[in-house]
Amino acid sequence: MLEQLKHYYNQYKHFSWLLVIAVIVLAFILMKLHSDSSNQEIESTAQNVSNSHLDNDKQNFSKKRESNKEADTETEANRKTKVVVVDVKGAVEHPDIYEMKDNQRIKDVLNKAKLTSKADLTTINLSEKLTDQKMIFIPEKGQNLTTSSSISTSSTQSTNKSPQTKVNLNSAKENELTTVNGLGPSKAKAIIEFRETKGPFNSVDQLKNVKGIGEKSFEKLKEYFTV
């Protein structure tokens, strides 16, 4: 029996070594394939990350360029606008002189003046652009107008509300001050407050020191006052 085992061993020992070598080679091939697969997966992930960053950079650049374009457009629009002065009267809560931009509409200034519940807008073109020295008169419902249009220029304005005599800045009451063209209740109160806190007016030029009355407003108002 022992002799037979030795015989089989001598006969197949070469095949045993070949089997071991084959197993080692197979294991090496499998390891190599696994390594290549891992490297491909890493490269693919890195490529995806790179593409993602590239897409984000493109989107950010596009948004920034669009934002700059909008800012340039807005700046260009602002450069072209001018300040205009309009006089609002009639059925509004705050009749006064308003400084607006020449690209704004009548509707914009009426939003500031606040229409009363009695205001009649049937003859008012709210989409009309504002122009300098325009007087906007808002009639009340049922009010008869002597002119075909409720909007006139400053030349018409001077005959509608001019006082018969000049108003004394030191003695006039609020209702007397508001008879002056372009002088609403808010400015009339400011004049009274000024003389009560600063003392009597020494000259009409001091009107420029009253809150809400600038150089342009003063030039339109000075001819109606005395001290």
Side-chain angles (χ1 to χ4, degrees):
M1 185 66 178
L2 183 59
E3 291 296 329
Q4 285 183 339
L5 290 174
K6 289 181 179 181
H7 176 71
Y8 285 127
Y9 173 75
N10 291 330
Q11 186 176 359
Y12 294 106
K13 65 180 180 179
H14 298 294
F15 293 103
S16 299
W17 284 107
L18 290 175
L19 182 61
V20 171
I21 293 172
V23 169
I24 293 173
V25 170
L26 181 60
F28 178 79
I29 292 173
L30 291 175
M31 290 175 62
K32 180 66 175 176
L33 291 174
H34 179 72
S35 176
D36 291 343
S37 177
S38 298
N39 290 337
Q40 289 178 356
E41 184 176 352
I42 292 172
E43 290 177 358
S44 177
T45 301
Q47 184 65 32
N48 291 336
V49 171
S50 177
N51 291 337
S52 176
H53 284 304
L54 184 60
D55 291 340
N56 289 336
D57 290 342
K58 288 181 178 179
Q59 291 178 0
N60 291 335
F61 177 76
S62 178
K63 289 180 179 178
K64 186 175 181 181
R65 184 173 60 181
E66 192 67 26
S67 177
N68 290 339
K69 186 183 296 184
E70 292 177 357
D72 291 341
T73 302
E74 183 177 352
T75 301
E76 184 65 24
N78 290 337
R79 286 198 200 102
K80 294 179 180 179
T81 59
K82 297 179 180 178
V83 174
V84 295
V85 179
V86 294
D87 188 8
V88 183
K89 303 179 185 299
V92 292
E93 295 180 8
H94 308 293
D96 208 341
I97 291 177
Y98 292 88
E99 290 189 354
M100 307 291 289
K101 293 181 179 179
D102 63 354
N103 63 349
Q104 291 183 295
R105 312 283 176 163
I106 288 180
K107 184 178 185 300
D108 297 319
V109 71
L110 292 183
N111 287 339
K112 290 188 174 184
K114 303 292 183 184
L115 294 169
T116 66
S117 58
K118 297 180 180 180
D120 183 5
L121 297 178
T122 55
T123 59
I124 306 299
N125 181 7
L126 297 178
S127 65
E128 182 180 344
K129 279 190 176 182
L130 299 174
T131 57
D132 194 38
Q133 299 184 17
K134 178 173 286 293
M135 192 272 283
I136 303 170
F137 179 78
I138 307 300
E140 293 185 355
K141 295 175 182 177
Q143 181 177 355
N144 292 324
L145 298 178
T146 57
T147 59
S148 59
S149 173
S150 59
I151 302 177
S152 61
T153 60
S154 58
S155 59
T156 305
Q157 161 186 342
S158 61
T159 61
N160 286 340
K161 199 182 175 184
S162 299
Q164 295 295 322
T165 58
K166 290 189 176 185
V167 176
N168 191 302
L169 286 171
N170 292 321
S171 60
K173 297 180 181 179
E174 181 179 338
N175 61 338
E176 294 175 302
L177 291 170
T178 54
T179 62
V180 175
N181 271 328
L183 194 73
S186 60
K187 286 187 174 66
K189 290 177 182 178
I191 290 174
I192 294 173
E193 182 181 352
F194 180 87
R195 73 191 186 199
E196 288 178 350
T197 57
K198 306 290 186 181
F201 286 87
N202 295 320
S203 68
V204 176
D205 287 345
Q206 283 186 284
L207 197 60
K208 290 185 288 185
N209 299 329
V210 175
K211 181 179 179 182
I213 299 179
E215 188 68 34
K216 290 182 179 179
S217 298
F218 172 74
E219 291 298 324
K220 294 183 177 70
L221 298 172
K222 64 181 182 179
E223 61 182 293
Y224 301 119
F225 292 105
T226 186
V227 293

